[in-house]
Amino acid sequence: MKVTSSRFSHKTAFVVDHCPYMAESSRQMVECDMLTKSRGQGVIPLAPVSKSLWTCAVECSMEYCRILYDVYPTRKLVRSYVHYIVSDSEFHSLNSWRQEDQSTQELMAALASVGPPNPREDPECCSVLHGLVAAVESLCAITQYQHEARRTLMDVADRVANRGRIICLTNAKSDTHVRMLEDCVSETIQEQNKLAAGSDRLMPIQRCELVLVHIYPQGDDTLVSDRSRKELSSVLSSEVHSVRAGRHLASKLNILVQQHFDLASTTITNIPMKEEQHANTSANYDVELLHHRDAHLEFIKSAQPCFLCTGDLHMAGSTSRDSGLKETVTLKWCTPRTNNVELHYCTGAYRISPVDVNSRPSSCLTNFLLNGRSVLLEQPRKSGSKVISHMLSSHGGEIFLHVLNSTRSTLEDPPSISEGCGGRVTDYRITDFGEFMRENRLTPFSEGVLDASGRTSSERAKAQLERHTRYWPMIISQTTIFNMQAVVPLANLIVKESLSEEDVLTCQKTVFNLVDMERKNDPLPISTVGSRGKGPKRDEQYRIMWNELETLVKAHVGSSERHQRVLECISACRSKPPEEEERKKRGRKREDKEDKAEKNGKDADEKAWPDSERLKGPQEREKEEQTESEMIKDSPDSPEPLNKKPRLMSEEIQPPQKSKGPVSLLTMWTNRITATSRKHEVFAGRLNSVNNKAELYQHLKEDNGMDLHENGKATR
Amino acid sequence: MPFVALKLSEFTSTYHRSGAMPTVVLMDSSLSMTRPVSQEGSEEFQRKNLAVHGLTMLFEHMATNYKLEFTSLVAFSSLWELMVPFTRDYNTLQEALSNLEDYDKTCLESALHGVSNIVQQEWGSTCPCQVVLVTDGALGIGRGSLRHSLHTLKQRVEDKKFPLPFPFPAKMFIMCIANVEELQSTDAMDNLEQLIGLNGGEGQIFTMEGPLCLKSVQSMFGKLIDQAYTPFYAVLHCGNLASDVQVFPRPEPVLVDEEVDPIPKAVQTDLEIVGFIEIADISSPPVLSRHLVLPIAVNKEVDEVGAGTTEDAEEEPSANQMAGKSPNFCVLLHGSLKVEGMVALVQLGPEWYGMLYSQADSKKKSNLMMSLFEPGPEPLPWLGKISQLGPISDAAENPYGEDDSKSPFPLQPKNKRSYAQNVTVWIKANGLQTDVQKILRNARKLPEKTQTFYKELNRLRKAALAFGFWELLKGVAELLERECTLLPDSAHPDAAFQLSHAAQQLKLASTGDSQYSAFNHNITPLHTDFSGGGAGDRM
């Protein structure tokens, strides 16, 4: 995921010698007739086969590319391109810098069409030089990324770097021959740079690194000596590796790919695996992975001598089995216990490539991960403390090594959110906002999709959030309409950017339905707490509801003419009782009180309601109720409280399905609280406050009524 | 020149990771700190008193604005001592500060080693830290002096390296209880500048202006506070819902080292939610840093630039208490994120994003956290470009399915990785042997295994052709012919036909004849009367 510091890694040109001498056998024999041993006598085993120098060169370079494409797929931040060229009597370019050509399958197909070198071809006409010249030319050619970079940085286009590396796999004759190859590359660069200076489609090479790998058959003495990197000119540096074909060549190229692309090795140890033969036994295996070395940042840094604690960290094995000289860090597999999705604090994620991709342990591990499971990795420590430092996880068919933060967090023990602003409020519309979040989930759209007003997908997402939040009360006691099931169709539609005729119809139906409810005098989920079910009068409740609905729809009225029609529908249909002004005044008073009261009720829903509050509740309500009843008495248009009471009782007993909103539960709870409060001693006094007459056997009546309550509602 | 700022941008690392920033106060307790300051007033101050005064001011500021920051106090002379390990208890720090004793000469190198060890033991080597060195600029004499340390810089052996640059990202603030003239009269200033240079240019030297007095030390520490300890306030938006927040620790600007031009990016003060994603889909993404998002009371005027003196900060708790009872969007968001197991994708600036989520510290305490992704249009490959993420309502059908059974994430890369596509690698002999054995095993189970037999055969053929390994094709052809002769009498007659057909095809391919050796050509089963039209592979 990180920008590589390898400055030559953007462009790699592979030049593989395809001259007749490469057809020579590497003399490394492979026994492929393994089963004959177990079979009866008389079976003549097949003679072992041997790879040619060409086959060795090709498969090792393909392995280099495989690791490279695994760890740095080209479309990411780090763009690593490979141009594969083979050379005999002329050069054959097997691919180009184009994105589509950057895959091992493409290269395999191209290699197959070239075939192995023809041993009967005239050696005099053949040379790796053709390929080297072509490689230099191709380094001057602009890659897709460079092209884009130059386009976006018009004025500073010259700052786009052009550096590259040529890896040449050949069989050289002598050190003099090597020098001749180097000189040729150096001269070609000079020529090409001159050409490129005068061209728009070419870029001069700023730096080039030539890596010459001389391959010779096993058992032969090398005719070419190793040489570490040397500056041949201000532009070109060169190094020579003299390697025996086969295993040695493979490990050499493995080391090179690690050096060239800042890779490091991790060995996952203790992976439990079922034995192929004995399915009920399991053995532990190790798998070595390559990845960007930053995944080991913590180890690299803490391995500095000034750090006293280094001794604790076990830098396993100086030599890893597979990658020759390179160090590997050993991490222990922790068998995942649950499939819980957790959000780990991860400081880096790096693509991996298994060193031995085809081995059974490797493929078991990668398949396990590709199936969607994650594995935590533990640092083996001498001191025995368990430190989980990494995690392997796949995302969309790519496996990443995640670096987890294993040191003390500087954010430990923060104050809880409930201790801060808004932390004491307990009736947030958590569930509703959850629903809101689900509706505002994101999904990928194809590149370059813009809507009519030229907005990108994410801008549209933000615009949707804006529309959906134009009227969005955060707490339950601030809203009536969002507590009503009946409003849902309209509330869901009105936030849309545009409405269809059908949508308008649905909205209108919703409004008619509300009108109908009002006509039938259906109860609204406005809090009735504190006034023992009385609350604001029914028409008052509807007025509040209609006002809120209007607020919601008005917020969207500018969206379209159809939105406007929904508002008109509401204005036309809603009840407009006389003396509205006067009512408003009084209503406001009531709303305040009711808000407060409802909050209490809601608190009971949330567990956070402190005990003291709960005890206090009924008494407070008692007081409120007293003032309430006084007020009702004063009000000219209010009916006699006594008349109303029986009706109210029956309403409360009504099964909750009539008021469908989530508040029905609340009402039930409220009733329960109210019922409980009636057991208190204040009971008698309260009766008095309603009516000064003391009726005979009133206690008996009330008790009966209460029993009915308890039985009628099987809330518990 | 009030203070000297060194910024050597070419030394800065690819990403300046910002996170919580613990502070180490490194206090010079050498004898020279007891030098009196000439003053007209009745009371006589030592430089040490001024230093303590300045640090007290810093501690007070942090106690109110940076409550969650960890600070430790190290005193040094020729030796060093950890006076207070990392703590949030500023009283302890203050107390230790006032009980500091005076020791011998200044030896900065060993003290910096000490700082390096203390930080790494506590926080590891990835956590950025701030080191506040308080000194009078008399940097010792002879061995152990900073001058000596710097002179011998190049002659160090591996295990006696100079402690700078620290193995962890660090900013070094040098508070000089001295003025510029004094420091420039010796080589002290040069040496300190060199020290900052060794720290990769990350840091700053502060000196006192005018006479050495309480006022000038206050102004110097005020500048430090402005520079390094101002709280970061922002507004978190989700459409029309919004909340004022403090982001703690404050997000530091990030340097993006692209191949062309490093562009420093700062988190903007309007944090805009783009949309929501399931935790399983965002899938433990790598982040640059993590921050608490603390809702704050809507103050009449939040001074974003000023150091926030202790007076006006003191009113905040009570205001906060009041604010506890009025609904806040952060609390709502946190609650729903927690319940739904989701994160909110938040835009931090142009082409820079992060995520908001609920982080539980223990069962009881949980918090709204923000993690910053690497700047760029596509911070996570499995989400794709953020600008291409849109609302689900724009999609033809809900990509999450009607019952949330599906997900549009993760995005699949164009090309499969090698481990996901059954590549052929024969670098090790056993890779090749396994592939040949697979073919032979299936060969013995013909015609039942006809399909697998040919699948494996074609895989081997393709690889052998690509690697120019014609010898192998011949070898395997011979093996198949031999198998043919070894077939038991009970064998299905089809087996012999298929084996000799396969052997013949391999031999043809090994001639390089383009008609038979085409890479994309596949050997298909021979149609025989026995196979009855379908050599069914009953696997």
Side-chain angles (χ1 to χ4, degrees):
Chain A
M1 302 276 303
K2 282 191 80 177
V3 177
T4 177
S5 57
S6 309
R7 305 184 312 144
F8 299 99
S9 308
H10 177 53
K11 285 169 156 178
T12 304
F14 259 104
V15 178
V16 184
D17 198 339
H18 194 250
C19 296
Y21 45 78
M22 291 296 281
E24 199 184 327
S25 164
S26 68
R27 292 188 218 134
Q28 190 186 19
M29 295 307 182
V30 186
E31 192 82 58
C32 48
D33 196 10
M34 298 294 285
L35 285 176
T36 39
K37 284 168 202 152
S38 58
R39 308 179 96 195
Q41 54 282 77
V43 179
I44 306 144
L46 187 79
V49 290
S50 87
K51 298 171 185 169
S52 62
L53 293 181
W54 163 259
T55 300
C56 289
V58 166
E59 66 178 5
C60 291
S61 56
M62 287 310 291
E63 184 69 359
Y64 184 107
C65 296
R66 178 187 71 79
I67 292 168
L68 181 56
Y69 289 141
D70 274 356
V71 180
Y72 299 115
T74 44
R75 67 189 181 93
K76 289 291 151 291
L77 260 180
V78 181
R79 300 150 192 92
S80 305
Y81 295 83
V82 173
H83 189 183
Y84 206 101
I85 299 163
V86 302
S87 177
D88 41 49
S89 58
E90 54 182 349
F91 76 89
H92 306 271
S93 184
L94 301 194
N95 68 344
S96 73
W97 295 130
R98 289 188 318 150
Q99 198 87 74
E100 311 82 89
D101 282 359
Q102 301 295 319
S103 84
T104 44
Q105 292 105 307
E106 292 293 321
L107 285 175
M108 294 277 272
L111 279 167
S113 68
V114 169
N118 181 359
R120 284 175 297 279
E121 207 169 340
D122 180 6
E124 292 305 309
C125 320
C126 297
S127 169
V128 74
L129 276 175
H130 302 296
L132 286 172
V133 171
V136 171
E137 286 171 7
S138 93
L139 288 184
C140 286
I142 294 173
T143 62
Q144 216 164 319
Y145 165 66
Q146 285 175 324
H147 178 69
E148 278 160 26
R150 271 156 60 116
R151 209 177 42 200
T152 50
L153 296 159
M154 285 301 265
D155 44 334
V156 284
D158 52 315
R159 285 213 221 152
V160 178
N162 190 31
R163 296 177 287 239
R165 180 182 289 120
I166 300 173
I167 303 175
C168 176
L169 304 179
T170 183
N171 177 283
K173 287 170 188 65
S174 61
D175 286 344
T176 332
H177 184 205
V178 166
R179 217 156 305 130
M180 187 271 284
L181 296 177
E182 287 173 337
D183 290 345
C184 166
V185 171
S186 187
E187 280 165 30
T188 316
I189 289 177
Q190 280 179 19
E191 286 166 25
Q192 284 299 316
N193 277 358
K194 266 183 219 152
L195 264 177
S199 162
D200 273 348
R201 291 185 303 167
L202 298 175
M203 281 175 84
I205 300 169
Q206 291 156 339
R207 291 285 296 155
C208 177
E209 198 180 280
L210 178 64
V211 181
L212 277 165
V213 183
H214 164 67
I215 309 168
Y216 59 97
Q218 304 226 337
D220 277 12
D221 287 330
T222 178
L223 304 169
V224 173
S225 35
D226 263 356
R227 207 196 58 217
S228 55
R229 187 176 308 158
K230 195 172 97 179
E231 296 294 326
L232 298 182
S233 72
S234 60
V235 182
L236 182 69
S237 71
S238 163
E239 63 192 76
V240 182
H241 303 273
S242 180
V243 201
R244 257 176 294 167
R247 196 160 48 85
H248 301 278
L249 178 63
S251 64
K252 170 59 78 181
L253 278 169
N254 187 288
I255 292 168
L256 287 178
V257 74
Q258 293 190 45
Q259 285 172 355
H260 294 167
F261 290 92
D262 293 323
L263 305 185
S265 149
T266 297
T267 302
I268 317 298
T269 184
N270 266 4
I271 308 175
M273 261 179 234
K274 290 237 159 55
E275 293 286 348
E276 209 162 10
Q277 313 298 335
H278 321 278
N280 46 359
T281 61
S282 109
N284 289 339
Y285 287 93
D286 291 2
V287 171
E288 189 188 350
L289 308 172
L290 294 179
H291 48 77
H292 194 282
R293 68 158 165 248
D294 276 359
H296 289 166
L297 211 59
E298 186 77 19
F299 307 126
I300 299 164
K301 281 184 167 168
S302 54
Q304 285 195 354
C306 65
F307 186 33
L308 300 171
C309 280
T310 321
D312 196 33
L313 195 115
H314 174 60
M315 287 286 279
S318 50
T319 322
S320 88
R321 249 166 297 151
D322 290 311
S323 58
L325 300 166
K326 270 292 204 172
E327 285 206 331
T328 187
V329 167
T330 302
L331 293 173
K332 227 171 92 190
W333 163 288
C334 299
T335 303
R337 292 209 173 73
T338 60
N339 276 329
N340 277 357
V341 213
E342 247 183 283
L343 202 57
H344 294 277
Y345 177 24
C346 162
T347 54
Y350 306 90
R351 288 184 179 81
I352 60 104
S353 184
V355 169
D356 200 356
V357 66
N358 272 347
S359 75
R360 216 178 71 83
S362 285
S363 58
C364 277
L365 174 67
T366 50
N367 285 334
F368 181 86
L369 294 165
L370 290 172
N371 284 333
R373 307 196 63 182
S374 300
V375 179
L376 294 173
L377 303 173
E378 181 192 334
Q379 279 178 19
R381 284 190 183 227
K382 283 177 195 155
S383 55
S385 59
K386 185 168 171 165
V387 178
I388 304 279
S389 62
H390 291 77
M391 179 179 77
L392 277 170
S393 187
S394 78
H395 310 286
E398 289 187 286
I399 300 174
F400 289 80
L401 181 62
H402 290 246
V403 184
L404 303 181
N405 185 60
S406 51
T407 49
R408 186 180 168 193
S409 165
T410 46
L411 289 176
E412 67 187 29
D413 200 26
S416 173
I417 192 147
S418 60
E419 291 162 36
C421 289
R424 301 280 308 278
V425 180
T426 49
D427 67 335
Y428 285 108
R429 293 171 58 203
I430 300 284
T431 318
D432 290 350
F433 197 72
E435 187 55 39
F436 168 91
M437 295 193 318
R438 302 196 155 274
E439 282 160 17
N440 284 285
R441 272 181 296 184
L442 298 169
T443 189
F445 289 88
S446 46
E447 180 119 44
V449 169
L450 300 178
D451 69 353
S453 35
R455 290 176 299 181
T456 62
S457 297
S458 69
E459 281 162 351
R460 287 186 54 80
K462 281 192 205 166
Q464 177 168 309
L465 284 175
E466 190 279 322
R467 286 198 313 277
H468 283 206
T469 53
R470 282 188 197 160
Y471 177 70
W472 214 99
M474 287 197 282
I475 55 175
I476 295 169
S477 51
Q478 268 175 359
T479 179
T480 303
I481 55 168
F482 291 112
N483 298 331
M484 292 169 65
Q485 199 61 40
V487 182
V488 168
L490 184 144
N492 283 348
L493 287 173
I494 201 75
V495 295
K496 282 171 65 175
E497 203 168 18
S498 62
L499 296 178
S500 63
E501 273 306 319
E502 202 185 328
D503 291 340
V504 175
L505 217 64
T506 313
C507 290
Q508 286 168 343
K509 269 188 204 156
T510 306
V511 175
F512 299 151
N513 188 23
L514 292 173
V515 172
D516 201 37
M517 281 172 68
E518 184 170 23
R519 195 178 45 75
K520 286 194 289 190
N521 226 354
D522 284 350
L524 287 184
I526 285 182
S527 170
T528 49
V529 192
S531 45
R532 217 189 307 159
K534 257 178 250 161
K537 284 195 308 174
R538 192 55 47 82
D539 55 346
E540 192 66 31
Q541 293 179 3
Y542 274 91
R543 194 190 54 78
I544 294 166
M545 186 276 292
W546 284 119
N547 280 348
E548 196 186 2
L549 193 63
E550 258 180 8
T551 310
L552 169 69
V553 176
K554 269 181 188 156
H556 295 275
V557 87
S559 299
S560 75
E561 178 266 337
R562 285 181 178 142
H563 287 85
Q564 175 72 41
R565 271 165 55 198
V566 175
L567 180 65
E568 281 160 10
C569 170
I570 294 173
S571 311
C573 296
R574 68 167 293 183
S575 55
K576 283 220 180 67
E579 317 136 294
E580 199 173 19
E581 278 315 296
E582 200 194 337
R583 282 170 161 275
K584 242 184 211 164
K585 256 192 219 160
R586 203 180 52 226
R588 203 167 300 133
K589 256 194 197 160
R590 267 188 205 164
E591 267 172 83
D592 289 351
K593 199 185 309 154
E594 148 206 315
D595 269 359
K596 202 165 139 205
E598 182 168 343
K599 217 180 277 180
N600 283 342
K602 283 290 168 187
D603 280 351
D605 267 353
E606 316 277 342
K607 281 160 213 142
W609 195 15
D611 275 5
S612 59
E613 196 79 40
R614 194 176 298 157
L615 291 173
K616 203 170 72 194
Q619 281 142 38
E620 262 185 11
R621 271 179 228 123
E622 157 84 357
K623 272 183 230 147
E624 280 162 19
E625 200 237 5
Q626 281 178 353
T627 48
E628 169 84 358
S629 55
E630 274 163 29
M631 207 163 69
I632 289 173
K633 254 193 245 168
D634 291 347
S635 156
D637 56 9
S638 72
E640 275 293 301
L642 193 65
N643 296 345
K644 203 169 181 182
K645 199 180 173 191
R647 206 187 79 204
L648 223 132
M649 291 292 285
S650 68
E651 235 174 55
E652 277 179 22
I653 298 157
Q654 263 175 8
Q657 59 258 35
K658 210 170 177 197
S659 51
K660 289 170 225 142
V663 151
S664 63
L665 196 72
L666 166 78
T667 319
M668 275 157 38
W669 175 253
T670 312
N671 292 338
R672 188 160 168 79
I673 288 282
T674 322
T676 320
S677 75
R678 283 177 204 169
K679 289 176 182 159
H680 289 232
E681 292 150 1
V682 281
F683 177 60
R686 189 188 290 149
L687 268 179
N688 293 341
S689 80
V690 174
N691 195 333
N692 280 327
K693 273 185 210 164
E695 276 181 49
L696 225 55
Y697 301 118
Q698 201 161 17
H699 284 255
L700 193 66
K701 244 192 223 168
E702 282 291 337
D703 279 344
N704 285 343
M706 205 172 59
D707 278 341
L708 213 137
H709 261 263
E710 297 256 313
N711 298 335
K713 295 187 188 161
T715 42
R716 330 211 134 184
Chain B
M1 188 170 54
F3 53 83
V4 182
L6 288 177
K7 194 78 190 160
L8 307 171
S9 58
E10 58 265 44
F11 284 117
T12 47
S13 51
T14 37
Y15 280 111
H16 178 90
R17 283 174 187 272
S18 63
M21 291 255 240
T23 296
V24 184
V25 173
L26 185 57
M27 174 77 173
D28 189 342
S29 304
S30 65
L31 212 54
S32 64
M33 286 290 281
T34 62
R35 281 182 289 164
V37 182
S38 50
Q39 217 171 15
E40 303 90 70
S42 51
E43 230 183 322
E44 191 176 82
F45 284 114
Q46 297 174 355
R47 292 191 190 229
K48 181 182 150 188
N49 301 132
L50 292 180
V52 168
H53 182 76
L55 283 173
T56 304
M57 178 177 158
L58 177 66
F59 290 160
E60 275 173 4
H61 169 80
M62 288 168 83
T64 45
N65 297 291
Y66 262 67
K67 284 189 264 286
L68 299 176
E69 196 70 277
F70 284 95
T71 304
S72 77
L73 179 64
V74 175
F76 77 102
S77 56
S78 62
L79 301 169
W80 60 269
E81 187 184 350
L82 177 60
M83 306 301 289
V84 183
F86 284 101
T87 180
R88 285 170 174 162
D89 181 357
Y90 287 95
N91 290 334
T92 314
L93 286 163
Q94 190 58 53
E95 207 171 303
L97 196 60
S98 35
N99 294 333
L100 273 188
E101 286 177 44
D102 308 318
Y103 300 96
D104 56 343
K105 62 172 189 173
T106 309
C107 177
L108 200 51
E109 181 169 346
S110 68
L112 291 172
H113 270 302
V115 169
S116 182
N117 289 341
I118 291 166
V119 171
Q120 287 189 84
Q121 278 173 30
E122 197 76 49
W123 310 109
S125 54
T126 46
C127 174
C129 280
Q130 321 213 64
V131 178
V132 177
L133 166 64
V134 186
T135 178
D136 58 350
L139 301 165
I141 40 161
R143 271 189 165 278
S145 69
L146 182 60
R147 184 187 303 116
H148 181 260
S149 291
L150 294 171
H151 271 303
T152 56
L153 214 51
K154 296 224 170 80
Q155 308 144 26
R156 306 303 184 94
V157 283
E158 190 55 34
D159 57 340
K160 288 208 171 103
K161 279 233 170 90
F162 193 71
L164 259 56
F166 290 120
F168 45 87
K171 284 196 177 156
M172 179 105 149
F173 298 107
I174 304 178
M175 313 303 293
C176 296
I177 311 298
N179 53 40
V180 186
E181 295 74 30
E182 188 185 343
L183 294 170
Q184 281 172 342
S185 66
T186 64
D187 59 354
M189 187 52 113
D190 289 343
N191 288 334
L192 291 177
E193 282 174 7
Q194 222 180 320
L195 199 62
I196 301 277
L198 281 173
N199 197 38
E202 289 289 345
Q204 198 166 318
I205 301 168
F206 294 90
T207 59
M208 288 172 67
E209 271 178 281
L212 304 186
C213 61
L214 290 177
K215 215 177 133 203
S216 56
V217 83
Q218 268 176 18
S219 108
M220 178 172 73
F221 273 86
K223 278 173 194 150
L224 171 70
I225 287 168
D226 281 353
Q227 171 77 25
Y229 295 98
T230 44
F232 183 87
Y233 295 115
V235 184
L236 176 63
H237 299 273
C238 175
N240 294 298
L241 296 170
S243 170
D244 290 80
V245 295
Q246 182 186 353
V247 179
F248 178 87
R250 69 172 195 190
E252 300 291 327
V254 169
L255 266 179
V256 185
D257 182 42
E258 270 285 51
E259 201 154 346
V260 187
D261 245 343
I263 321 141
K265 283 201 169 199
V267 172
Q268 63 191 22
T269 51
D270 281 295
L271 309 170
E272 269 187 284
I273 290 178
V274 180
F276 301 88
I277 293 175
E278 315 263 349
I279 283 184
D281 289 338
I282 200 103
S283 187
S284 296
V287 299
L288 291 179
S289 58
R290 290 190 310 169
H291 309 265
L292 285 168
V293 177
L294 307 163
I296 51 170
V298 199
N299 275 356
K300 320 93 225 167
E301 41 192 25
V302 175
D303 189 6
E304 286 193 11
V305 200
T309 56
T310 42
E311 285 80 43
D312 53 75
E314 236 153 47
E315 282 166 20
E316 241 176 62
S318 62
N320 271 350
Q321 267 166 10
M322 297 228 305
K325 287 179 179 160
S326 62
N328 187 293
F329 171 62
C330 284
V331 187
L332 172 68
L333 175 69
H334 168 267
S336 299
L337 289 175
K338 188 175 181 173
V339 170
E340 300 287 336
M342 291 172 96
V343 305
L345 201 64
V346 62
Q347 181 152 19
L348 312 168
E351 298 206 325
W352 195 11
Y353 302 88
M355 62 172 176
L356 291 160
Y357 53 98
S358 159
Q359 168 86 21
D361 188 64
S362 59
K363 285 240 163 57
K364 282 184 181 162
K365 284 185 173 181
S366 67
N367 252 295
L368 188 62
M369 288 274 258
M370 181 168 75
S371 288
L372 313 189
F373 299 144
E374 218 166 70
E378 191 181 347
L380 306 174
W382 50 95
L383 293 191
K385 283 210 177 82
I386 304 286
S387 62
Q388 284 169 235
L389 298 182
I392 49 172
S393 58
D394 277 8
E397 60 180 277
N398 189 345
Y400 291 91
E402 289 316 311
D403 50 353
D404 277 348
S405 55
K406 297 189 289 183
S407 169
F409 302 108
L411 291 190
Q412 301 289 329
K414 269 191 210 130
N415 295 323
K416 279 186 173 177
R417 305 281 88 89
S418 70
Y419 44 80
Q421 55 172 328
N422 195 18
V423 292
T424 315
V425 178
W426 290 334
I427 285 183
K428 286 187 179 168
N430 62 13
L432 177 56
Q433 285 156 358
T434 313
D435 285 349
V436 174
Q437 277 176 45
K438 265 188 222 160
I439 293 172
L440 290 183
R441 253 203 319 271
N442 287 300
R444 269 168 228 140
K445 290 176 189 158
L446 288 172
E448 287 82 14
K449 293 285 185 183
T450 305
Q451 294 300 328
T452 352
F453 171 74
Y454 279 100
K455 196 183 124 212
E456 291 298 334
L457 192 72
N458 280 313
R459 194 166 82 91
L460 176 123
R461 177 187 170 277
K462 271 196 162 65
L465 287 172
F467 297 152
F469 200 177
W470 293 355
E471 202 181 329
L472 178 72
L473 295 175
K474 288 180 198 132
V476 175
E478 280 175 43
L479 275 177
L480 294 180
E481 279 169 350
R482 191 190 64 198
E483 284 304 313
C484 196
T485 64
L486 291 173
L487 283 172
D489 297 339
S490 57
H492 193 286
D494 198 24
F497 280 96
Q498 297 298 349
L499 283 175
S500 49
H501 166 69
Q504 191 205 2
Q505 290 291 314
L506 285 186
K507 278 191 173 161
L508 285 170
S510 75
T511 60
D513 183 333
S514 57
Q515 195 193 331
Y516 300 100
S517 64
F519 184 73
N520 287 320
H521 172 77
N522 274 326
I523 304 176
T524 49
L526 185 71
H527 274 283
T528 58
D529 290 341
F530 318 106
S531 47
D537 193 3
R538 283 167 245 133
M539 281 182 73

